[in-house]
């Protein structure tokens, strides 16, 4: 195979050398022909003799110069400005050597000869080098006009130009760009690489219909969420598939290309900019510390590990019961951070001896406790397992933390702990009570961070909807009025890390501001439209009815809890609810005995511990996104 490739390269170079020899010959005679009014017979013989006598030296010098400037090494199918510069430099140098050689050898020649020689040599060399690319591009465009996907580009800036260039030049692309949209009136009617800028966003629907557009690319990496939402809302009316570039940093780093285009996600419709955090405070908080993350292979746990790994901890310990998830995050972090001191362990937080042994060996400074059973419907039918893992796994991990001198323990909680109607939420409320109790009696700082639904997490509604759409529908929603608060995984984790910084003395329950709630029905409709389908025509939506243990909306704060602000307006502190600690531990031990003996129904016992737990609420709702 290698010999075959080398043979093809050699053949191409031989062809180029032959073409260059012919080019030098033509460029040597053409200036005289032009000088004497395109009549070869009028050229004095003395001038022709000079050109022909010096030609052999001229050919050798020119081929040597072209070789030095890599004109036989470039891939001319992808030639750009760098190759043009090399051609210009090589031809100018060749013309200078031609001038010096003829002067030194005293060949008589008209003074206009040298300038014309340089022009002809440059022109023919450029044509021979770029002819393949031009013919290839014409053939590619002709094929795409017949079979290609018709594309509209939104954004006539650098990113849009780069995307157009890649689509136009790529032999693997089957796309034809029909028009460009940009809100800058000064660009209207102008062209980018032969593609016309037809107008602003108000013309999107009109030109999508006029050109029969199949896909729309939003090539504005700098667009904020509000702009993106507005554009996507307009594009939804066209039934075209939408794609966008991920962010401005790709443009700055020169990474903008077709491979960076992604499908427009529902995140683009949240209508707000990504949440910003104080990275310096996070950096100082975890830098040089030994950090342990339980449930480190899960959605939130793995993102915690990614962000912590990027802030130079002394050591990062990942603990997870599921080996596949642990392996995936291990390989990812080893690749991205080769200098990271990374320890990945398979363990259950329910195993007292195992958790104690890990902390005795590695002495973590900070623990992020993300290990939990979280799927509401599954926990409703397996309540004992939810309590064993969530409640007593937290208890055992907290106990091991105080025994081994951990400085800070951060519990990942949930808004479902507020007035819970399901086992999962009630178990998390008990976890909050455990860490508040421990904080009062031990040196370790215990805090909890409570937030709502996370887009894209394991078991979330977005992947489910996408699978249902890919299968042709229907898309299932439990109730038309169900709403949820949403946040992306990186946003949630960044705020979790910053909330840990704000902990002062421990015992706090940090509540993250999730913005405005979103209707799940709207999410389903948007995702169907963003996939290029029409709601209830191509893909139907079906309502399946509310499931046990779920409510129509989630709350972030109990009515009896106060709320204090922090330096970050998106992070608030809930005032701890007072409860009888002695009674709490008695109830906790009774609950432990009950679940270990596989009690038929522990809901009454849980309700005694968490008075706000109302398992009889059947008008609850779907856990479309969970942690």
């Amino acid at each position: 195979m290698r010999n075959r490739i080398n043979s093809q390269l050699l053949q191409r170079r031989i062809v180029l050398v032959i073409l260059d020899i012919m080019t030098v010959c033509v460029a040597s005679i053409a200036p005289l022909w032009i000088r004497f009014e395109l009549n070869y017979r009028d050229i004095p013989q003395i001038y022709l003799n000079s050109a022909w006598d010096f030609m052999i030296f001229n050919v050798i010098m020119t081929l040597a110069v072209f070789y030095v400037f890599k004109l036989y090494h470039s891939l001319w199918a992808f030639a750009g400005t760098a190759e043009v510069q090399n051609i210009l430099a090589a031809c100018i140098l060749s013309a200078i050597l031609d001038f010096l050689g003829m002067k030194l050898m005293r060949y008589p020649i008209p003074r206009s000869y040298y300038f014309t020689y340089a022009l002809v040599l440059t022109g023919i060399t450029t044509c021979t080098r770029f002819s393949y690319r031009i013919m290839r591009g014409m053939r590619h465009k002709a094929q795409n006009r017949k079979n290609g996907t018709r594309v509209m580009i939104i954004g006539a800036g650098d990113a849009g130009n780069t995307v157009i260039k890649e689509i136009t030049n790529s032999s693997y692309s089957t796309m034809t760009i029909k028009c460009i949209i940009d809100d800058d009136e000064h660009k209207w009617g102008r062209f980018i690489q032969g593609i016309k800028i037809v107008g602003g966003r108000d013309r999107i629907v009109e030109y999508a219909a006029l050109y029969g557009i199949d896909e729309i690319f939003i090539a504005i990496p700098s667009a904020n969420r509000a702009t993106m939402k507005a554009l996507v809302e307009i594009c939804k009316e066209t039934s075209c598939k939408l794609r966008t570039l991920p962010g401005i940093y790709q443009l700055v780093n020169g990474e903008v290309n077709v491979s960076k285009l992604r499908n427009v996600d529902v995140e683009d419709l949240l209508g707000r900019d990504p949440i910003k955090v104080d990275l310096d405070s996070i950096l100082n908080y975890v830098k040089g510390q030994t950090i342990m993350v339980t449930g480190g292979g899960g959605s939130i746990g793995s993102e915690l590990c990614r962000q912590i790994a990027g802030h130079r901890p002394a050591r990062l310990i990942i603990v997870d019961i599921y080996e596949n998830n642990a392996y995936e995050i291990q390989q990812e972090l080893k690749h991205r951070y080769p200098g990271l001191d990374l320890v990945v362990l398979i363990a259950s937080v329910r195993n007292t001896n195992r958790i104690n042994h890990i902390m005795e060996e590695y002495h973590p400074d900070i623990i992020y406790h993300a290990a939990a059973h979280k799927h509401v419907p599954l926990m409703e039918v397996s309540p004992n397992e939810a309590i064993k893992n969530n409640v007593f796994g937290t208890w055992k991990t907290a106990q091991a933390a105080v025994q081994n001198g951990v400085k800070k323990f951060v519990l990942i909680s949930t808004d479902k702990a507020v007035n819970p109607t399901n086992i999962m939420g009630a178990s998390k409320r008990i976890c909050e009570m455990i860490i508040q109790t421990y904080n009062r009696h031990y040196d370790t700082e215990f805090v909890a961070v409570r937030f709502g639904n996370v887009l894209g997490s394991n078991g979330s509604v977005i992947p489910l909807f996408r699978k249902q759409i890919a299968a042709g529908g229907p898309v299932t929603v439990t109730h038309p009025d169900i709403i949820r608060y949403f946040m992306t995984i990186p946003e949630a984790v960044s705020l979790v890390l910053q909330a840990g910084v704000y902990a002062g003395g421990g015992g706090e329950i940090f509540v993250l501001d999730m913005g405005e709630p979103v209707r799940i029905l709207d999410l389903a409709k948007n995702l169907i439209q963003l996939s290029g389908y029409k709601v209830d025509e191509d893909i139907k939506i079906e309502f399946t009815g509310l499931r046990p243990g779920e409510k129509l909306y989630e709350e972030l704060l109990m009515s009896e809890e106060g709320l204090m602000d922090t330096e970050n307006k998106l992070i608030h502190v809930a005032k701890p609810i007072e409860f009888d600690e002695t009674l709490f531990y008695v109830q906790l031990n009774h609950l432990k005995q009950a679940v270990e003996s596989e009690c038929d129904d522990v809901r009454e016992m849980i309700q005694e511990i968490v008075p706000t737990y109302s398992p009889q609420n059947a008008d609850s709702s779907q856990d479309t996104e969970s942690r």
Side-chain angles (χ1 to χ4, degrees):
M1 184 66 179
R2 181 178 296 177
N3 291 335
R4 182 181 176 185
I5 293 173
N6 291 336
S7 175
Q8 291 176 344
L9 291 174
L10 180 61
Q11 290 173 9
R12 291 177 183 177
R13 288 173 182 172
I14 290 173
V15 170
L16 286 175
V17 169
I18 294 172
L19 287 173
D20 288 340
I21 293 173
M22 295 171 62
T23 299
V24 173
C25 293
V26 172
S28 298
I29 302 301
L32 297 175
W33 182 62
I34 295 171
R35 167 67 177 77
F36 291 94
E37 299 179 354
L38 308 182
N39 193 331
Y40 186 80
R41 293 179 180 180
D42 290 344
I43 302 174
Q45 191 62 40
I46 189 172
Y47 292 156
L48 285 174
N49 290 341
S50 297
W52 286 113
D53 290 346
F54 189 69
M55 192 172 293
I56 184 67
F57 300 102
N58 204 5
V59 166
I60 294 173
M61 285 190 303
T62 301
L63 295 181
V65 170
F66 282 11
Y67 181 85
V68 170
F69 280 87
K70 300 180 180 179
L71 299 193
Y72 301 115
H73 300 80
S74 297
L75 289 174
W76 294 103
F78 305 101
T81 55
E83 284 73 22
V84 172
Q85 291 172 2
N86 285 342
I87 291 174
L88 289 174
C91 291
I92 290 171
L93 180 57
S94 178
I96 292 173
L97 293 175
D98 179 70
F99 169 78
L100 294 175
M102 287 194 131
K103 287 296 182 183
L104 288 173
M105 300 179 73
R106 299 183 184 278
Y107 285 120
I109 207 81
R111 285 179 297 179
S112 63
Y113 172 88
Y114 304 108
F115 178 73
T116 309
Y117 171 82
L119 289 179
V120 173
L121 181 66
T122 302
I124 298 177
T125 303
T126 302
C127 290
T128 57
R129 291 306 191 274
F130 280 83
S131 58
Y132 173 70
R133 174 176 173 174
I134 293 170
M135 289 187 294
R136 178 172 161 271
M138 292 173 63
R139 184 174 65 251
H140 179 58
K141 288 180 179 178
Q143 292 172 347
N144 284 353
R145 275 195 291 269
K146 295 178 181 178
N147 308 312
T149 300
R150 293 177 293 272
V151 173
M152 171 189 286
I153 303 290
I154 299 179
D158 290 337
N161 177 60
T162 304
V163 172
I164 293 168
K165 180 180 178 181
E166 287 220 3
I167 291 175
T168 303
N169 295 336
S170 174
S171 60
Y172 300 101
S173 170
T174 58
M175 301 174 184
T176 301
I177 302 173
K178 291 294 186 179
C179 62
I180 305 170
I181 294 290
D182 197 284
D183 286 337
D184 186 350
E185 296 182 12
H186 297 94
K187 296 180 180 179
W188 295 353
R190 298 188 179 185
F191 293 80
I192 297 179
Q193 300 185 48
I195 312 298
K196 188 176 182 180
I197 304 170
V198 295
R201 68 180 69 180
D202 58 318
R203 311 296 296 275
I204 290 175
V205 176
E206 174 188 347
Y207 278 97
L210 179 64
Y211 289 112
I213 299 298
D214 301 306
E215 293 193 23
I216 298 176
F217 293 170
I218 302 177
I220 314 176
S222 59
N224 57 33
R225 289 290 187 185
T227 301
M228 184 63 68
K229 180 181 180 181
L231 288 173
V232 172
E233 288 291 347
I234 296 172
C235 293
K236 279 164 50 183
E237 300 178 27
T238 67
S239 298
C240 297
K241 186 175 181 181
L242 305 184
R243 286 203 260 176
T244 185
L245 286 169
I248 189 63
Y249 67 91
Q250 265 92 5
L251 182 58
V252 174
N253 294 339
E255 298 175 14
V256 172
N257 53 50
V258 175
S259 66
K260 297 294 181 183
L261 286 163
R262 61 168 173 81
N263 292 332
V264 176
D265 289 325
V266 179
E267 289 96 315
D268 296 316
L269 296 176
L270 293 183
R272 59 172 173 79
D273 292 327
I275 292 171
K276 301 291 192 303
V277 298
D278 182 359
L279 294 178
D280 291 334
S281 65
I282 295 175
L283 175 61
N284 294 329
Y285 175 55
V286 303
K287 182 180 178 181
Q289 302 288 313
T290 298
I291 313 294
M292 176 174 161
V293 180
T294 67
S299 304
I300 296 298
S302 62
E303 182 62 25
L304 271 168
C305 294
R306 291 183 190 98
Q307 295 197 26
I308 291 168
H311 290 121
R312 293 184 287 177
R315 173 178 287 168
L316 175 59
I317 306 162
I318 298 176
V319 177
D320 202 289
I321 189 61
Y322 185 40
E323 60 182 293
N324 291 347
N325 284 349
Y327 175 77
E328 287 181 9
I329 189 64
Q330 178 190 46
Q331 296 306 305
E332 177 185 337
L333 295 182
K334 285 172 67 176
H335 175 72
R336 292 176 60 184
Y337 306 101
L340 175 66
D341 186 351
L342 178 65
V343 178
V344 179
L345 303 170
I346 302 302
S348 170
V349 293
R350 292 158 61 168
N351 188 327
T352 305
N353 293 334
R354 176 66 169 148
I355 292 299
N356 270 322
H357 177 74
I358 291 172
M359 294 196 197
E360 288 173 1
E361 182 173 357
Y362 295 103
H363 301 288
D365 298 303
I366 303 169
I367 294 177
Y368 289 94
H369 184 55
H373 286 327
K374 59 185 181 179
H375 295 277
V376 170
L378 291 178
M379 294 307 101
E380 286 302 295
V381 296
S382 301
N384 291 339
E385 292 305 305
I387 298 301
K388 290 177 189 176
N389 195 71
N390 295 3
V391 174
F392 296 109
T394 298
W395 192 1
K396 292 176 180 182
T397 307
Q399 184 62 37
V402 299
Q403 291 176 356
N404 292 279
V406 173
K407 298 176 184 176
K408 187 168 291 186
F409 185 105
V410 180
L411 169 70
I412 307 301
S413 189
T414 171
D415 56 1
K416 294 173 179 60
V418 181
N419 298 323
T421 59
N422 52 66
I423 289 291
M424 197 281 280
S427 70
K428 282 292 190 177
R429 176 57 194 148
I430 297 175
C431 292
E432 293 178 353
M433 296 168 71
I434 290 172
I435 65 109
Q436 286 183 321
T437 302
Y438 265 70
N439 188 74
R440 295 189 185 102
H441 301 286
Y442 298 100
D443 293 334
T444 301
E445 284 187 8
F446 287 88
V447 299
V449 181
R450 184 192 291 167
F451 53 88
N453 304 287
V454 178
L455 284 169
S457 64
N458 291 333
S460 68
V461 72
I462 303 302
L464 173 61
F465 283 172
R466 285 197 175 115
K467 288 180 181 178
Q468 292 174 335
I469 291 170
V475 170
T476 57
V477 178
T478 58
H479 194 285
D481 298 325
I482 184 172
I483 62 172
R484 287 291 181 268
Y485 294 94
F486 285 103
M487 184 176 285
T488 66
I489 293 175
E491 286 177 329
V493 168
S494 295
L495 289 174
V496 167
L497 289 170
Q498 193 165 355
V501 178
Y502 292 150
E508 299 98 339
I509 296 178
F510 291 97
V511 180
L512 305 187
D513 188 337
M514 304 293 290
E516 294 298 319
V518 178
R519 291 179 68 206
I520 302 304
L521 177 59
D522 292 338
L523 281 183
K525 289 180 178 179
N526 288 334
L527 200 56
I528 291 170
Q529 291 172 321
L530 292 178
S531 301
Y533 300 105
K534 293 183 178 179
V535 178
D536 290 331
E537 291 185 23
D538 302 317
I539 303 290
K540 293 187 178 299
I541 296 177
E542 291 185 358
F543 298 104
T544 58
L546 299 174
R547 297 180 293 182
E550 298 167 339
K551 48 188 174 182
L552 282 172
Y553 59 94
E554 302 294 354
E555 305 159 86
L556 295 176
L557 197 67
M558 285 183 255
S559 58
E560 59 265 46
E561 291 177 321
L563 196 65
M564 298 176 290
D565 293 331
T566 65
E567 295 177 21
N568 189 327
K569 63 181 181 180
L570 298 174
I571 303 176
H572 311 283
V573 183
K575 181 181 178 182
I577 297 175
E578 298 298 328
F579 55 90
D580 188 328
E581 290 185 15
T582 303
L583 176 61
F584 174 61
Y585 276 110
V586 171
Q587 293 171 327
L588 210 54
N589 280 298
H590 288 164
L591 181 62
K592 184 173 185 290
Q593 295 172 8
V595 296
E596 287 179 349
S597 62
E598 300 299 338
C599 176
D600 290 337
D601 192 355
V602 293
R603 286 175 172 80
E604 288 187 10
M605 298 182 68
I606 295 173
Q607 195 168 16
E608 291 178 2
I609 301 173
V610 183
T612 55
Y613 171 47
S614 303
Q616 73 277 11
N617 280 6
D619 62 339
S620 329
S621 152
Q622 166 180 327
D623 176 33
T624 54
E625 300 275 348
S626 44
R627 279 173 314 285

